[in-house]
C-alpha cells in the first residue's frame, strides 16, 4: 500500500524531462566527439557518459526512497567533509586548463567542486532551518555568510570562478526563501555592485580578459574571444532546423572548442537549429518549474530550503551556460546541467533531481 501511494506521488513529469535531456545529451556528445577521436575510441565519451548515467539511475532510485529529512542530521558533517575535499584538491589535485580542480582515483577523475554544490545546499538548509524569519539584520546574516564564505574562497582559489558564483546563487536563493529582510537583501546587492572595482583587483589576468572579451570578443579574436566568436557562428549558422546531427561544420571540423562540455549548447544550435534549442530550453523550463512547485509544496522548511537551493543551482547553470554560448554572459566554465560531458557534473545533477523527487513524494504525511 505504501509503495503504491509513493508511486502515485512520484513526479513523472520531472523524470521524463530529465531523461529526455540526458538522452539528448548522449546523442549530442556522440555527434560532437566522434570525428575528433581515434577510430577505436570514436564513441568513448558517449559510452562513458552513458555508463555513468545508468549507474546514477540506481543511485537516484536509492535517494528517492529514503526520508530526505535524514540528511539534516548530517548537514554539519557533510560541510566538514566538503572542506576536507576542497583542501585535498589544493594539496594533491590534478591540473588541467590552468586550474587545479580534479582528484584522480584509479581511472576516474572527480571534480570535488561539483559535488560541493549539493553538499553546500544540504549544509545551508540545515543551518537555515532554525533561522527562518530571523534574518533581519547584518548580525543575523554574518554567521550564514561566513559558513558559505569558507568553501567559496577555497573553490575560488582553484581557481573556479564559475562554481564560486553558483555558491552565491544558491546562497541568495535560500536566504530569500528563509525570509531575509528585503531591505537588507537590496542593501547587499548594492554593496556588491559598489565593491566590484575591488573584486576586479583580485581577479586573475585571464578572468579579467574574459570579462573584457564579453564586451567585445574582437579584442582578442584568436585568444580569449575565440570561444565566443565560434560559438555564436555555430548557433547562428544552425538557423531554423539546423544542419542535421553529425553535420555541424563548426563542431565537426573542430573550430568550436570544448564542444562536448562547456559549449555543447552551441552544437545543439548548429545541428538542430532554433527548433532544437527551443525544445531543449522547454525541457529545462519543465525541470525548473517542477523544482519551484516542489519547493512551494514541501511538507517542511528543510525540504523547502533543499528544493530552493537545488532549483537555484540548476537555474543559474542554465542561465549562465546558455548566455555564455550566445555571447550575452561572460565565459565562466559552468557546464550545462545533464547535457555537458562530465561524470562529476552528471552525478551531482542526477542526485539533485532525485532529492527533488524525494521531497515531492513526502510533501504530505501519508495516512494509511
Amino acid at each position: 500500500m505504501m509503495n503504491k501511494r509513493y508511486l502515485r506521488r512520484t513526479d513523472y513529469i520531472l523524470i521524463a524531462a530529465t531523461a529526455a535531456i540526458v538522452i539528448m545529451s548522449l546523442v549530442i556528445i556522440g555527434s560532437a566527439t566522434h570525428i575528433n577521436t581515434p577510430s577505436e575510441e570514436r564513441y568513448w565519451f558517449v559510452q562513458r557518459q552513458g555508463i555513468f548515467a545508468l549507474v546514477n539511475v540506481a543511485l537516484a532510485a536509492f535517494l528517492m526512497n529514503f526520508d530526505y529529512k535524514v540528511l539534516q542530521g548530517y548537514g554539519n558533517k557533510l560541510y566538514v567533509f566538503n572542506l576536507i575535499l576542497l583542501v585535498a584538491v589544493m594539496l594533491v589535485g590534478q591540473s588541467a586548463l590552468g586550474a587545479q580542480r580534479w582528484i584522480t582515483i584509479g581511472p576516474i577523475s572527480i571534480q570535488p567542486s561539483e559535488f560541493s554544490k549539493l553538499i553546500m545546499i544540504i549544509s545551508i538548509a540545515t543551518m537555515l532551518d532554525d533561522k527562518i524569519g530571523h534574518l533581519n539584520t547584518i548580525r543575523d546574516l554574518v554567521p550564514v555568510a561566513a559558513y558559505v564564505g569558507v568553501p567559496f574562497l577555497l573553490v575560488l582559489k582553484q581557481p573556479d570562478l564559475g562554481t564560486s558564483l553558483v555558491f552565491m546563487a544558491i546562497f541568495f536563493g535560500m536566504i530569500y526563501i528563509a525570509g531575509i529582510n528585503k531591505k537588507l537583501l537590496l542593501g547587499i546587492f548594492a554593496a556588491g555592485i559598489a565593491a566590484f572595482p575591488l573584486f576586479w583587483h583580485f581577479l586573475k589576468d585571464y578572468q579579467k580578459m574574459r570579462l573584457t572579451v564579453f564586451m567585445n570578443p574582437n579584442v582578442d579574436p584568436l585568444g580569449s574571444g575565440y570561444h565566443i566568436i565560434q560559438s555564436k557562428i555555430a548557433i547562428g549558422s544552425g538557423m531554423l532546423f539546423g544542419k542535421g546531427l553529425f553535420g555541424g561544420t563548426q563542431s565537426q571540423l573542430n573550430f568550436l572548442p570544448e564542444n562536448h562540455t562547456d559549449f555543447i549548447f552551441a552544437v545543439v544550435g548548429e545541428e538542430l537549429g532554433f527548433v532544437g534549442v527551443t525544445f531543449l530550453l522547454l525541457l529545462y523550463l519543465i525541470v525548473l518549474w517542477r523544482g519551484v512547485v516542489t519547493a512551494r509544496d514541501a511538507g517542511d522548511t528543510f525540504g523547502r530550503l533543499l528544493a530552493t537551493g537545488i532549483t537555484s543551482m540548476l537555474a543559474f547553470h542554465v542561465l549562465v551556460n546558455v548566455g555564455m554560448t550566445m555571447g550575452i554572459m561572460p565565459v565562466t566554465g559552468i557546464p550545462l546541467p545533464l547535457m555537458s560531458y562530465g561524470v562529476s557534473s552528471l552525478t551531482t545533477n542526477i542526485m539533485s533531481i532525485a532529492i527533488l523527487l524525494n521531497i515531492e513524494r513526502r510533501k504530505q504525511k501519508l495516512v494509511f
Side-chain angles (χ1 to χ4, degrees):
M1 178 68 72
M2 182 178 69
N3 289 336
K4 288 182 179 179
R5 290 187 181 227
Y6 273 133
L7 286 174
R8 283 201 298 269
R9 292 186 176 184
T10 299
D11 192 340
Y12 293 106
I13 296 176
L14 178 57
I15 290 175
T18 301
I21 294 172
V22 172
I23 292 169
M24 191 172 181
S25 165
L26 295 176
V27 174
I28 298 299
I29 289 173
S31 177
T33 59
H34 79 287
I35 280 186
N36 300 310
T37 307
S39 57
E40 64 275 9
E41 300 177 352
R42 177 161 292 181
Y43 294 103
W44 184 85
F45 288 100
V46 68
Q47 289 171 353
R48 193 166 188 261
Q49 189 84 342
I51 289 170
F52 278 96
L54 292 175
V55 171
N56 283 317
V57 168
L59 178 60
F62 167 74
L63 289 174
M64 285 173 58
N65 287 291
F66 79 100
D67 191 344
Y68 68 87
K69 299 181 186 69
V70 172
L71 294 173
Q72 192 167 10
Y74 292 92
N76 293 326
K77 296 181 181 66
L78 286 171
Y79 180 81
V80 173
F81 175 69
N82 186 36
L83 295 184
I84 293 171
L85 272 181
L86 294 176
V87 171
V89 172
M90 296 172 60
L91 298 177
V92 299
Q94 303 295 314
S95 298
L97 300 176
Q100 189 167 328
R101 304 176 188 171
W102 291 267
I103 294 179
T104 301
I105 303 176
I108 302 174
S109 292
I110 65 170
Q111 189 174 351
S113 61
E114 283 294 329
F115 297 109
S116 71
K117 299 170 188 174
L118 182 55
I119 291 174
M120 284 307 300
I121 290 170
I122 297 170
S123 301
I124 297 171
T126 300
M127 185 181 197
L128 287 177
D129 192 40
D130 295 329
K131 298 180 181 295
I132 299 293
H134 298 289
L135 296 175
N136 299 313
T137 66
I138 289 291
R139 186 174 181 178
D140 296 331
L141 191 60
V142 164
V144 185
Y147 194 76
V148 178
V150 176
F152 170 85
L153 292 174
L154 288 174
V155 171
L156 193 60
K157 177 69 176 174
Q158 293 182 3
D160 189 349
L161 178 61
T163 298
S164 299
L165 294 175
V166 175
F167 279 4
M168 291 296 97
I170 292 168
F171 171 69
F172 283 113
M174 295 179 74
I175 62 173
Y176 179 81
I177 291 299
I180 186 173
N181 183 289
K182 303 303 185 295
K183 291 182 179 179
L184 177 59
L185 186 60
L186 289 174
I188 293 171
F189 282 127
I193 294 171
F196 183 77
L198 181 62
F199 176 70
W200 176 270
H201 177 72
F202 287 101
L203 291 178
K204 294 184 179 296
D205 289 340
Y206 80 91
Q207 292 170 334
K208 292 178 180 178
M209 180 57 73
R210 282 183 176 181
L211 292 175
T212 301
V213 299
F214 161 62
M215 302 302 295
N216 182 11
N218 292 314
V219 168
D220 188 14
L222 298 179
S224 297
Y226 183 79
H227 291 65
I228 297 176
I229 292 171
Q230 296 301 322
S231 179
K232 290 167 71 175
I233 291 172
I235 294 173
S237 65
M239 302 181 72
L240 185 59
F241 296 107
K243 299 175 180 177
L245 284 172
F246 302 89
T249 54
Q250 296 299 114
S251 177
Q252 305 297 324
L253 299 180
N254 211 28
F255 288 105
L256 180 66
E258 310 300 330
N259 60 355
H260 62 303
T261 54
D262 295 346
F263 285 86
I264 195 168
F265 185 79
V267 181
V268 177
E270 183 180 28
E271 299 191 351
L272 302 182
F274 179 78
V275 172
V277 298
T278 300
F279 177 70
L280 178 60
L281 292 176
L282 179 61
L283 292 175
Y284 280 121
L285 182 62
I286 292 171
V287 170
L288 297 177
W289 164 55
R290 297 313 301 168
V292 170
V293 170
T294 300
R296 183 196 65 192
D297 297 341
D300 64 311
T301 54
F302 179 68
R304 184 172 297 111
L305 288 164
L306 275 181
T308 298
I310 290 170
T311 306
S312 299
M313 175 186 72
L314 295 174
F316 188 78
H317 268 262
V318 174
L319 176 66
V320 173
N321 182 276
V322 172
M324 172 185 76
T325 58
M326 296 174 65
I328 58 176
M329 286 280 188
V331 176
T332 56
I334 291 180
L336 190 58
L338 304 168
M339 277 291 295
S340 294
Y341 172 81
V343 172
S344 300
S345 175
L346 178 67
T347 301
T348 299
N349 289 315
I350 290 181
M351 289 173 65
S352 299
I353 296 294
I355 292 175
L356 284 180
L357 292 166
N358 190 319
I359 297 168
E360 177 66 17
R361 276 185 167 185
R362 290 167 173 79
K363 64 183 178 182
Q364 295 177 351
K365 188 174 182 180
L366 292 176
V367 179
F368 301 99

